[in-house]
């Protein structure tokens, strides 16, 4: 049996600067994904200056 996930696209998280791989739940919106996790997304919102 061959492993099907040898290559998955990767991005760098905007908050923690770590690489993360494509996930099935991001299939429809991969171009808009900026954060590796919900925790990084919440942290970046807190760090953003109030405009």
């Amino acid at each position: 049996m061959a492993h099907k996930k040898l290559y998955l696209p990767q991005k760098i998280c905007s908050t923690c600067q770590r690489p993360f791989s494509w996930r099935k739940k991001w299939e429809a919106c991969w171009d808009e994904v900026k954060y590796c996790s919900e925790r990084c997304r919440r942290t970046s919102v807190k760090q953003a200056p109030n405009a």
Side-chain angles (χ1 to χ4, degrees):
M1 177 188 281
H3 193 347
K4 295 182 180 182
K5 298 182 181 181
L6 292 176
Y7 170 75
L8 293 174
Q10 287 191 338
K11 289 186 177 185
I12 303 296
C13 178
S14 296
T15 303
C16 67
Q17 302 301 311
R18 294 182 184 174
F20 63 96
S21 297
W22 180 90
R23 295 182 188 168
K24 179 71 174 174
K25 70 179 186 178
W26 293 329
E27 184 173 24
C29 61
W30 177 243
D31 294 334
E32 291 87 37
V33 175
K34 296 180 185 179
Y35 310 108
C36 63
S37 65
E38 187 65 24
R39 180 178 180 182
C40 280
R41 187 186 66 79
R42 279 186 270 131
T43 302
S44 71
V45 171
K46 288 180 182 178
Q47 292 177 352
N50 294 339

